[in-house]
Amino acid sequence: MMNVPLTVGSLLERAEKFFPKKMVISRTLSGIHRLTYKEIGERTRRLASALEKLGVKQGDKVGTFAWNHHRHLEGYFAAPGMGAVLHTINIRLSAEHITYIVNNAEDKVLLIDEDLLPLIEKVSDQFNCVKAYVIMTDKDVLPETSLAPVYSYEELLKEGDPGFEFVKDIDENAPAGMCYTSATTGNPKGVLYSHRGIVLHSYAAGLADTIGLSESDVCLAVVPMFHVNAWGLPFAATWFGSTQVMPGPQFTPKLLVELIEQEQVTLTAGVPTIWLGVLKELETGNYDTSSLRVILCGGSAAPRGMIKTFESKYNIPFLHAYGMTETTPLVTVSRLKSYQENLDLEEKLDIRSKQGLLVPGLEMKVVSGDGEVEWNGQEMGELLIRGPWIADEYYRDERTKDAFRDGWLYTGDVATVDEEGVIKLVDRTKDLIKSGGEWISSVDLENALMAHEAVFEASVISVPHPQWQERPLACVVLKEPFKGKVNKQELLDFIAPQFAKWWLPDDIIFMEEIPKTSVGKFLKRALRDQLKDHLVNNS
Amino acid sequence: MMNVPLTVGSLLERAEKFFPKKMVISRTLSGIHRLTYKEIGERTRRLASALEKLGVKQGDKVGTFAWNHHRHLEGYFAAPGMGAVLHTINIRLSAEHITYIVNNAEDKVLLIDEDLLPLIEKVSDQFNCVKAYVIMTDKDVLPETSLAPVYSYEELLKEGDPGFEFVKDIDENAPAGMCYTSATTGNPKGVLYSHRGIVLHSYAAGLADTIGLSESDVCLAVVPMFHVNAWGLPFAATWFGSTQVMPGPQFTPKLLVELIEQEQVTLTAGVPTIWLGVLKELETGNYDTSSLRVILCGGSAAPRGMIKTFESKYNIPFLHAYGMTETTPLVTVSRLKSYQENLDLEEKLDIRSKQGLLVPGLEMKVVSGDGEVEWNGQEMGELLIRGPWIADEYYRDERTKDAFRDGWLYTGDVATVDEEGVIKLVDRTKDLIKSGGEWISSVDLENALMAHEAVFEASVISVPHPQWQERPLACVVLKEPFKGKVNKQELLDFIAPQFAKWWLPDDIIFMEEIPKTSVGKFLKRALRDQLKDHLVNNS
């Protein structure tokens, strides 16, 4: 067969050729912009030629610091199209981490949203690699800035070459994109995405049995473009000629629902907290969301009740998926098999609330100390993944050796697999409780506790125990009206019917607040440090 | 990203792991067999280990001479799974051509259907490479045969290893399959399919915007498994866990319709003549074909009227596709773009009767002498294709240099491209008429002539002309009742309104019969030889 490399540039070329009239609908600070793929194509080529003039060479990193909008999309294709690497920087990182990753990636040029300038200005004197700052603004005049040298995105495009040719003879294993994932301790860890990985991932996203992304879709990626390439949707949606709607800066649930209604969005994608907000908005307003064929939800587990409400009350099908920065990210999608369609509604919801089935092209193993676990929905083990869009290292980072071993990615996620091969995540390896050689899921206990009407938040951690090595300990924040009115035993009695006796927490500690990470996850490490002697002293 | 090769063996492994209960429903001489993918997987591994014991090594060719059934499917995965190459032999070839391709491919082992034995026995003394003949029979006792050494497929499986491991570390560019395409003159030409090509092609077949093959499909490939891998459906359907229905030997339209009804087939695929037969059968019987979501049709152009009848009368959506042996074969699929859904029925049918849009992953060009043609639905040129599942040579064949040039496959098909990028085939390059520097499509003239009630067959050829270099000449066979009652001028007047004046044939010659190839196509070469002086002498 012909030796034709899989390249990111070819994805946009297909949209330019076959879907030149289809639209990208982009919200920026100045309002809604409507551009055809023909225009996006020309602008992308102009951008690529401008980057070249700024000194960007094949293999160089081009950083973006931006919301989801058409200029960011142009960067998605311009950098890989010229053989450079698109490095999407998470705008929510700390100043320290932004500095670290820009320098670790050695970004040559940064494309920055106007409203995000202050975040970069604060740290730019620490950058030791950036040769040019490009401001993505709608205005004719550049804003005042301490950055230098600084360029206007639109001015650069005016001088750029709309006929710039994307590189064709590039090695498909060369990097095309890059994203950093935050670590529990220390600096974020960089992941490189190859041309091959992104194209194969785009195929995977277009399969009828996964997301089924199609030309007929109007795709609203709410998941940020600085977060694992917005789950790869901008690449795949462009390739297939889907209409894309990009929500821009500082959107609200209300704005999202309005976009869905106005632009007749068919597919939208984001994390559970987004959909909790959207659900609240749907309950207050009178919106027509009938264009939606699916809400794609990942990033963390979607509450079963939320899925049910969307489907039964608003008739919007929910699609649960799982992946991580290291996996480009699509790993599983939770769809029913055809012979499960006859199950009753609750049974179907049980299955669809899990993380789902491995997408075609990947391999998985779930291993505990004794080897691969049985597929019985009970036995727990760490999920290992392998495949052509799975990273094989952290960029210039010695933590590579912990996560990538024997050709597998050790995800750090603990899962069960049922008889049908459906994965359910039960915990992070480091949060799992190992009691007398048996594993206990902190997540299951937390979910059970949080189902109690008095509980606002619950975090279950593992603490050392003289006899059982580790035992679960629950940290609970009560809702205001219930404070002082609910005791430990009441909560333990409430969850007891759902668990084996030895799963129940040895103690419940009521707190005013549970410490959290910058992205709002429980900081269990802090709790473990604080409470490490609790059972030793009290036993 | 991880360096994980794309392999054919991994496709079956997915079905074994995630769809072990799904079924392959296979008709052989003894009736219907129902096997799960778990069973197919074990049998395939047994077969692979048996082939190894017979001396098959990595890179060796394993020939099959068989109908569509489960044993043929096992061969599809056993040979590539062990690193060998599956060579599917067209059972309809002449004895001379069968001999040529077995020797050209150097088949080490042949897997042969019992009822097809005589065809091989007739020529086997000419084979200079075959070390073992394996008879695929349902019976316990091998039939009498002159072939030697000869083995029973099922006996080999009994002794085989159900835990045989597929090769993992194979180069994805290594050949996995092989098929010969017939040539106008000379021997058939061999095409090798790589592991990479087959896997990428399978992705392409699962996209929502192409065939959308899914786990929920019940897939009946009527197109023979000896013909371009049954369009790749057995590979893709296995990967996605679709139910497969295999019609076995000597099927009739009635049998096909019964299978569709009984097995609740959702997707079926074959050439137009199959569907013409099925249409006739539907008209005689009282069948329930409501399970069908799509008929996939390729191989040659489907008549517009037939598409319309299936859709309007039987409510069975038709999907027109195009490809060739050299292209694995999927090149285009004819689907409407979302904004074309509002066109009226006839306009939509006009679009869907064309060959369609290029599938994601390929590149195309349509070139005439002056470079690429304009996309206006008028200008004609030769279709060139490029991509990772397109062949780059004929196997050990010097005709390679004619078809594969500058990194492109010259398809020999003449096409127009409309403003939407939709391809319509208008002729074969060698049949096109070049009159005074302008091109005239023989196919268009033939279709126009055959629409006349008196015309049974019409073949339009190019003949030399002193002034215009070439001019069209029509050879027409009249239906019995019209013989002697219709004259040339009547036919010319009939088609005149559809064409520019200079397109009209210079003469019409009435014949008793038009010479045909072994597969029933017009043998235009013979007509051209016979009539080459017609216009020179008569002008």
Side-chain angles (χ1 to χ4, degrees), chain A residues 296-345:
Chain A
L296 183 66
C297 185
S300 61
R304 190 179 187 284
M306 182 177 76
I307 300 180
K308 192 171 174 177
T309 308
F310 267 107
E311 299 196 338
S312 60
K313 191 163 172 191
Y314 296 101
N315 202 24
I316 305 173
F318 227 79
L319 189 57
H320 207 195
Y322 160 75
M324 50 203 294
T325 304
E326 291 87 337
T327 64
T328 312
L330 197 59
V331 172
T332 64
V333 172
S334 196
R335 273 187 190 278
L336 297 176
K337 294 180 184 173
S338 49
Y339 53 80
Q340 295 171 326
E341 293 289 351
N342 298 326
L343 296 175
D344 73 35
L345 214 65

Short mmCIF file of all heavy atoms in Angstrom, two decimals, chain A residues 296-345:
data_model
loop_
_atom_site.label_atom_id
_atom_site.label_comp_id
_atom_site.label_asym_id
_atom_site.label_seq_id
_atom_site.Cartn_x
_atom_site.Cartn_y
_atom_site.Cartn_z
N LEU A 296 -22.18 14.57 25.44
CA LEU A 296 -21.01 13.74 25.74
C LEU A 296 -20.41 14.23 27.04
O LEU A 296 -20.13 15.42 27.18
CB LEU A 296 -20.02 13.87 24.59
CG LEU A 296 -18.76 13.02 24.66
CD1 LEU A 296 -19.10 11.54 24.54
CD2 LEU A 296 -17.80 13.42 23.55
N CYS A 297 -20.23 13.30 27.97
CA CYS A 297 -19.81 13.70 29.31
C CYS A 297 -18.62 12.88 29.77
O CYS A 297 -18.65 11.65 29.73
CB CYS A 297 -20.99 13.53 30.27
SG CYS A 297 -20.65 14.13 31.92
N GLY A 298 -17.57 13.53 30.21
CA GLY A 298 -16.40 12.84 30.71
C GLY A 298 -15.65 13.72 31.67
O GLY A 298 -16.18 14.72 32.13
N GLY A 299 -14.40 13.36 31.97
CA GLY A 299 -13.59 14.18 32.87
C GLY A 299 -13.69 13.69 34.29
O GLY A 299 -12.70 13.53 34.98
N SER A 300 -14.90 13.46 34.74
CA SER A 300 -15.11 12.70 35.98
C SER A 300 -16.48 12.04 35.86
O SER A 300 -17.21 12.30 34.92
CB SER A 300 -15.01 13.61 37.21
OG SER A 300 -15.98 14.61 37.17
N ALA A 301 -16.78 11.15 36.79
CA ALA A 301 -17.99 10.34 36.66
C ALA A 301 -19.24 11.21 36.75
O ALA A 301 -19.37 12.04 37.63
CB ALA A 301 -18.01 9.26 37.73
N ALA A 302 -20.16 10.99 35.81
CA ALA A 302 -21.42 11.73 35.84
C ALA A 302 -22.36 11.05 36.83
O ALA A 302 -22.53 9.84 36.79
CB ALA A 302 -22.05 11.74 34.45
N PRO A 303 -22.98 11.85 37.72
CA PRO A 303 -23.92 11.25 38.66
C PRO A 303 -25.09 10.59 37.90
O PRO A 303 -25.63 11.17 36.96
CB PRO A 303 -24.42 12.44 39.48
CG PRO A 303 -23.41 13.52 39.28
CD PRO A 303 -22.82 13.29 37.92
N ARG A 304 -25.43 9.38 38.33
CA ARG A 304 -26.50 8.62 37.70
C ARG A 304 -27.81 9.42 37.66
O ARG A 304 -28.52 9.43 36.67
CB ARG A 304 -26.69 7.36 38.53
CG ARG A 304 -27.58 6.31 37.93
CD ARG A 304 -27.62 5.12 38.90
NE ARG A 304 -28.33 3.99 38.35
CZ ARG A 304 -29.65 3.91 38.25
NH1 ARG A 304 -30.39 4.91 38.67
NH2 ARG A 304 -30.23 2.85 37.73
N GLY A 305 -28.08 10.13 38.76
CA GLY A 305 -29.32 10.90 38.82
C GLY A 305 -29.37 11.99 37.77
O GLY A 305 -30.44 12.26 37.18
N MET A 306 -28.24 12.61 37.50
CA MET A 306 -28.20 13.67 36.49
C MET A 306 -28.47 13.10 35.10
O MET A 306 -29.25 13.66 34.32
CB MET A 306 -26.83 14.35 36.51
CG MET A 306 -26.73 15.50 35.53
SD MET A 306 -25.13 16.34 35.63
CE MET A 306 -24.08 15.17 34.80
N ILE A 307 -27.84 11.96 34.80
CA ILE A 307 -28.08 11.32 33.51
C ILE A 307 -29.57 11.06 33.34
O ILE A 307 -30.18 11.37 32.32
CB ILE A 307 -27.30 9.98 33.42
CG1 ILE A 307 -25.80 10.22 33.56
CG2 ILE A 307 -27.62 9.27 32.10
CD1 ILE A 307 -24.95 8.94 33.48
N LYS A 308 -30.16 10.52 34.40
CA LYS A 308 -31.57 10.16 34.36
C LYS A 308 -32.45 11.38 34.12
O LYS A 308 -33.39 11.34 33.33
CB LYS A 308 -31.95 9.46 35.67
CG LYS A 308 -33.29 8.79 35.63
CD LYS A 308 -33.50 7.93 36.86
CE LYS A 308 -34.91 7.38 36.85
NZ LYS A 308 -35.13 6.48 38.01
N THR A 309 -32.15 12.46 34.80
CA THR A 309 -32.96 13.68 34.65
C THR A 309 -32.88 14.20 33.22
O THR A 309 -33.91 14.54 32.61
CB THR A 309 -32.49 14.77 35.63
OG1 THR A 309 -32.46 14.22 36.94
CG2 THR A 309 -33.42 15.97 35.58
N PHE A 310 -31.66 14.29 32.66
CA PHE A 310 -31.52 14.77 31.29
C PHE A 310 -32.34 13.91 30.33
O PHE A 310 -32.99 14.42 29.43
CB PHE A 310 -30.05 14.75 30.86
CG PHE A 310 -29.34 16.05 31.09
CD1 PHE A 310 -28.42 16.19 32.11
CD2 PHE A 310 -29.60 17.15 30.28
CE1 PHE A 310 -27.77 17.40 32.33
CE2 PHE A 310 -28.96 18.36 30.50
CZ PHE A 310 -28.03 18.48 31.53
N GLU A 311 -32.29 12.62 30.54
CA GLU A 311 -32.94 11.73 29.57
C GLU A 311 -34.45 11.67 29.75
O GLU A 311 -35.19 11.73 28.78
CB GLU A 311 -32.31 10.34 29.66
CG GLU A 311 -30.83 10.39 29.34
CD GLU A 311 -30.19 9.06 29.02
OE1 GLU A 311 -30.74 8.01 29.43
OE2 GLU A 311 -29.14 9.07 28.35
N SER A 312 -34.87 11.56 31.01
CA SER A 312 -36.31 11.36 31.21
C SER A 312 -37.07 12.68 31.16
O SER A 312 -38.15 12.77 30.60
CB SER A 312 -36.57 10.63 32.54
OG SER A 312 -36.06 11.40 33.59
N LYS A 313 -36.47 13.74 31.70
CA LYS A 313 -37.20 15.00 31.78
C LYS A 313 -37.01 15.85 30.52
O LYS A 313 -37.93 16.51 30.06
CB LYS A 313 -36.72 15.78 33.01
CG LYS A 313 -37.58 16.99 33.34
CD LYS A 313 -37.33 17.46 34.76
CE LYS A 313 -38.05 18.79 35.01
NZ LYS A 313 -37.62 19.40 36.27
N TYR A 314 -35.79 15.80 29.95
CA TYR A 314 -35.51 16.68 28.80
C TYR A 314 -35.28 15.92 27.50
O TYR A 314 -35.01 16.52 26.47
CB TYR A 314 -34.32 17.59 29.12
CG TYR A 314 -34.63 18.51 30.27
CD1 TYR A 314 -34.17 18.24 31.54
CD2 TYR A 314 -35.45 19.62 30.07
CE1 TYR A 314 -34.48 19.07 32.61
CE2 TYR A 314 -35.77 20.46 31.12
CZ TYR A 314 -35.28 20.18 32.39
OH TYR A 314 -35.61 21.00 33.44
N ASN A 315 -35.37 14.59 27.59
CA ASN A 315 -35.25 13.77 26.39
C ASN A 315 -33.93 14.01 25.65
O ASN A 315 -33.88 14.00 24.43
CB ASN A 315 -36.44 14.06 25.47
CG ASN A 315 -36.68 12.92 24.51
OD1 ASN A 315 -36.29 11.78 24.78
ND2 ASN A 315 -37.30 13.22 23.38
N ILE A 316 -32.86 14.27 26.42
CA ILE A 316 -31.53 14.47 25.82
C ILE A 316 -30.66 13.27 26.18
O ILE A 316 -30.31 13.09 27.34
CB ILE A 316 -30.87 15.76 26.36
CG1 ILE A 316 -31.79 16.96 26.13
CG2 ILE A 316 -29.52 15.97 25.68
CD1 ILE A 316 -31.28 18.24 26.77
N PRO A 317 -30.30 12.46 25.20
CA PRO A 317 -29.47 11.28 25.49
C PRO A 317 -28.10 11.69 26.00
O PRO A 317 -27.49 12.66 25.53
CB PRO A 317 -29.36 10.57 24.14
CG PRO A 317 -30.51 11.08 23.34
CD PRO A 317 -30.71 12.51 23.80
N PHE A 318 -27.64 10.95 26.97
CA PHE A 318 -26.36 11.21 27.61
C PHE A 318 -25.38 10.12 27.20
O PHE A 318 -25.73 8.97 27.12
CB PHE A 318 -26.57 11.15 29.13
CG PHE A 318 -25.94 12.28 29.85
CD1 PHE A 318 -26.57 13.52 29.87
CD2 PHE A 318 -24.73 12.14 30.50
CE1 PHE A 318 -26.00 14.59 30.54
CE2 PHE A 318 -24.16 13.20 31.18
CZ PHE A 318 -24.78 14.43 31.20
N LEU A 319 -24.16 10.52 26.94
CA LEU A 319 -23.15 9.53 26.56
C LEU A 319 -21.95 9.73 27.48
O LEU A 319 -21.29 10.77 27.44
CB LEU A 319 -22.76 9.72 25.10
CG LEU A 319 -21.87 8.65 24.48
CD1 LEU A 319 -22.51 7.27 24.59
CD2 LEU A 319 -21.62 8.99 23.01
N HIS A 320 -21.69 8.72 28.28
CA HIS A 320 -20.64 8.78 29.27
C HIS A 320 -19.36 8.25 28.64
O HIS A 320 -19.37 7.22 27.98
CB HIS A 320 -21.06 7.89 30.45
CG HIS A 320 -20.47 8.30 31.75
ND1 HIS A 320 -20.46 7.49 32.86
CD2 HIS A 320 -19.88 9.44 32.13
CE1 HIS A 320 -19.88 8.11 33.86
NE2 HIS A 320 -19.52 9.30 33.45
N ALA A 321 -18.26 8.94 28.82
CA ALA A 321 -17.00 8.50 28.23
C ALA A 321 -15.89 8.69 29.25
O ALA A 321 -16.06 9.37 30.26
CB ALA A 321 -16.71 9.30 26.97
N TYR A 322 -14.76 8.06 28.95
CA TYR A 322 -13.63 8.13 29.87
C TYR A 322 -12.33 8.28 29.10
O TYR A 322 -12.16 7.67 28.04
CB TYR A 322 -13.58 6.88 30.75
CG TYR A 322 -12.23 6.62 31.39
CD1 TYR A 322 -11.80 7.39 32.46
CD2 TYR A 322 -11.39 5.62 30.91
CE1 TYR A 322 -10.55 7.17 33.05
CE2 TYR A 322 -10.14 5.39 31.50
CZ TYR A 322 -9.73 6.16 32.56
OH TYR A 322 -8.50 5.95 33.13
N GLY A 323 -11.46 9.09 29.64
CA GLY A 323 -10.13 9.23 29.05
C GLY A 323 -9.29 10.12 29.94
O GLY A 323 -9.76 10.55 31.00
N MET A 324 -8.08 10.37 29.54
CA MET A 324 -7.22 11.25 30.32
C MET A 324 -6.24 11.95 29.37
O MET A 324 -6.18 11.64 28.19
CB MET A 324 -6.51 10.47 31.42
CG MET A 324 -5.81 9.20 30.98
SD MET A 324 -5.57 7.98 32.33
CE MET A 324 -4.44 8.87 33.39
N THR A 325 -5.53 12.93 29.91
CA THR A 325 -4.60 13.69 29.08
C THR A 325 -3.64 12.76 28.33
O THR A 325 -3.31 12.99 27.17
CB THR A 325 -3.81 14.69 29.95
OG1 THR A 325 -4.75 15.52 30.64
CG2 THR A 325 -2.90 15.56 29.11
N GLU A 326 -3.23 11.70 28.98
CA GLU A 326 -2.26 10.77 28.41
C GLU A 326 -2.86 9.94 27.26
O GLU A 326 -2.15 9.19 26.59
CB GLU A 326 -1.74 9.81 29.50
CG GLU A 326 -0.87 10.46 30.56
CD GLU A 326 -1.67 11.05 31.71
OE1 GLU A 326 -2.87 11.35 31.51
OE2 GLU A 326 -1.12 11.22 32.81
N THR A 327 -4.19 10.04 27.05
CA THR A 327 -4.85 9.12 26.11
C THR A 327 -5.60 9.85 25.00
O THR A 327 -6.47 9.26 24.36
CB THR A 327 -5.82 8.16 26.85
OG1 THR A 327 -6.88 8.93 27.44
CG2 THR A 327 -5.11 7.37 27.93
N THR A 328 -5.33 11.11 24.79
CA THR A 328 -5.71 11.93 23.60
C THR A 328 -7.17 12.39 23.49
O THR A 328 -7.42 13.17 22.58
CB THR A 328 -5.29 11.18 22.31
OG1 THR A 328 -3.94 10.74 22.42
CG2 THR A 328 -5.37 12.03 21.07
N PRO A 329 -8.19 12.08 24.27
CA PRO A 329 -8.26 11.27 25.46
C PRO A 329 -9.13 10.03 25.34
O PRO A 329 -9.18 9.25 26.28
CB PRO A 329 -8.93 12.22 26.45
CG PRO A 329 -9.92 12.95 25.61
CD PRO A 329 -9.34 13.00 24.21
N LEU A 330 -9.82 9.80 24.24
CA LEU A 330 -10.89 8.80 24.22
C LEU A 330 -10.39 7.38 24.52
O LEU A 330 -9.59 6.84 23.76
CB LEU A 330 -11.57 8.85 22.85
CG LEU A 330 -12.93 8.20 22.72
CD1 LEU A 330 -13.93 8.82 23.67
CD2 LEU A 330 -13.42 8.33 21.29
N VAL A 331 -10.89 6.78 25.59
CA VAL A 331 -10.56 5.39 25.94
C VAL A 331 -11.81 4.51 25.93
O VAL A 331 -11.82 3.46 25.32
CB VAL A 331 -9.85 5.30 27.31
CG1 VAL A 331 -9.70 3.85 27.75
CG2 VAL A 331 -8.49 5.98 27.26
N THR A 332 -12.85 4.96 26.60
CA THR A 332 -14.09 4.18 26.60
C THR A 332 -15.28 5.09 26.32
O THR A 332 -15.24 6.29 26.56
CB THR A 332 -14.36 3.50 27.97
OG1 THR A 332 -14.57 4.53 28.94
CG2 THR A 332 -13.22 2.60 28.40
N VAL A 333 -16.33 4.48 25.79
CA VAL A 333 -17.61 5.15 25.60
C VAL A 333 -18.67 4.19 26.11
O VAL A 333 -18.62 2.99 25.84
CB VAL A 333 -17.85 5.47 24.11
CG1 VAL A 333 -19.26 5.99 23.90
CG2 VAL A 333 -16.84 6.48 23.61
N SER A 334 -19.63 4.72 26.84
CA SER A 334 -20.61 3.85 27.46
C SER A 334 -21.91 3.79 26.66
O SER A 334 -22.80 4.62 26.83
CB SER A 334 -20.89 4.34 28.88
OG SER A 334 -21.53 3.32 29.61
N ARG A 335 -21.95 2.84 25.76
CA ARG A 335 -23.14 2.58 24.95
C ARG A 335 -23.63 1.18 25.28
O ARG A 335 -22.83 0.30 25.58
CB ARG A 335 -22.78 2.57 23.47
CG ARG A 335 -22.80 3.89 22.82
CD ARG A 335 -22.59 3.71 21.33
NE ARG A 335 -22.37 4.98 20.69
CZ ARG A 335 -23.36 5.81 20.35
NH1 ARG A 335 -24.62 5.47 20.56
NH2 ARG A 335 -23.09 6.97 19.79
N LEU A 336 -24.91 0.96 25.13
CA LEU A 336 -25.44 -0.39 25.31
C LEU A 336 -25.09 -1.24 24.10
O LEU A 336 -25.01 -0.75 22.98
CB LEU A 336 -26.96 -0.33 25.47
CG LEU A 336 -27.47 0.44 26.70
CD1 LEU A 336 -29.00 0.49 26.65
CD2 LEU A 336 -27.00 -0.22 27.98
N LYS A 337 -24.87 -2.52 24.34
CA LYS A 337 -24.82 -3.45 23.22
C LYS A 337 -26.26 -3.70 22.75
O LYS A 337 -27.22 -3.53 23.51
CB LYS A 337 -24.18 -4.77 23.67
CG LYS A 337 -22.71 -4.60 24.04
CD LYS A 337 -22.09 -5.91 24.47
CE LYS A 337 -20.65 -5.68 24.93
NZ LYS A 337 -20.05 -6.91 25.52
N SER A 338 -26.38 -4.13 21.51
CA SER A 338 -27.74 -4.25 20.94
C SER A 338 -28.62 -5.16 21.78
O SER A 338 -29.80 -4.89 21.98
CB SER A 338 -27.65 -4.76 19.50
OG SER A 338 -26.81 -5.89 19.42
N TYR A 339 -28.06 -6.24 22.34
CA TYR A 339 -28.91 -7.18 23.09
C TYR A 339 -29.21 -6.69 24.50
O TYR A 339 -29.92 -7.35 25.24
CB TYR A 339 -28.31 -8.59 23.11
CG TYR A 339 -26.87 -8.69 23.58
CD1 TYR A 339 -26.56 -8.69 24.93
CD2 TYR A 339 -25.83 -8.82 22.67
CE1 TYR A 339 -25.25 -8.80 25.36
CE2 TYR A 339 -24.51 -8.93 23.08
CZ TYR A 339 -24.23 -8.93 24.44
OH TYR A 339 -22.92 -9.04 24.85
N GLN A 340 -28.65 -5.52 24.87
CA GLN A 340 -29.00 -4.94 26.17
C GLN A 340 -30.14 -3.94 26.06
O GLN A 340 -30.63 -3.43 27.06
CB GLN A 340 -27.78 -4.24 26.78
CG GLN A 340 -26.64 -5.20 27.12
CD GLN A 340 -25.37 -4.48 27.51
OE1 GLN A 340 -25.06 -3.42 26.99
NE2 GLN A 340 -24.61 -5.08 28.43
N GLU A 341 -30.56 -3.67 24.83
CA GLU A 341 -31.60 -2.66 24.63
C GLU A 341 -32.94 -3.08 25.24
O GLU A 341 -33.81 -2.26 25.47
CB GLU A 341 -31.79 -2.37 23.13
CG GLU A 341 -30.59 -1.70 22.46
CD GLU A 341 -30.40 -0.23 22.87
OE1 GLU A 341 -31.28 0.33 23.54
OE2 GLU A 341 -29.33 0.33 22.52
N ASN A 342 -33.09 -4.40 25.47
CA ASN A 342 -34.36 -4.87 26.04
C ASN A 342 -34.39 -4.84 27.56
O ASN A 342 -35.42 -5.16 28.15
CB ASN A 342 -34.62 -6.31 25.58
CG ASN A 342 -34.76 -6.38 24.08
OD1 ASN A 342 -35.27 -5.46 23.45
ND2 ASN A 342 -34.29 -7.47 23.49
N LEU A 343 -33.30 -4.48 28.19
CA LEU A 343 -33.30 -4.40 29.65
C LEU A 343 -34.23 -3.27 30.10
O LEU A 343 -34.58 -2.39 29.31
CB LEU A 343 -31.88 -4.12 30.16
CG LEU A 343 -30.84 -5.20 29.87
CD1 LEU A 343 -29.46 -4.74 30.31
CD2 LEU A 343 -31.21 -6.50 30.58
N ASP A 344 -34.60 -3.29 31.38
CA ASP A 344 -35.47 -2.19 31.81
C ASP A 344 -34.63 -0.93 32.02
O ASP A 344 -33.41 -0.96 32.06
CB ASP A 344 -36.33 -2.58 33.01
CG ASP A 344 -35.55 -2.66 34.31
OD1 ASP A 344 -34.61 -1.87 34.49
OD2 ASP A 344 -35.89 -3.52 35.13
N LEU A 345 -35.32 0.18 32.14
CA LEU A 345 -34.68 1.49 32.15
C LEU A 345 -33.59 1.61 33.21
O LEU A 345 -32.51 2.14 32.95
CB LEU A 345 -35.76 2.56 32.39
CG LEU A 345 -35.54 3.88 31.69
CD1 LEU A 345 -35.59 3.71 30.19
CD2 LEU A 345 -36.56 4.91 32.16
#
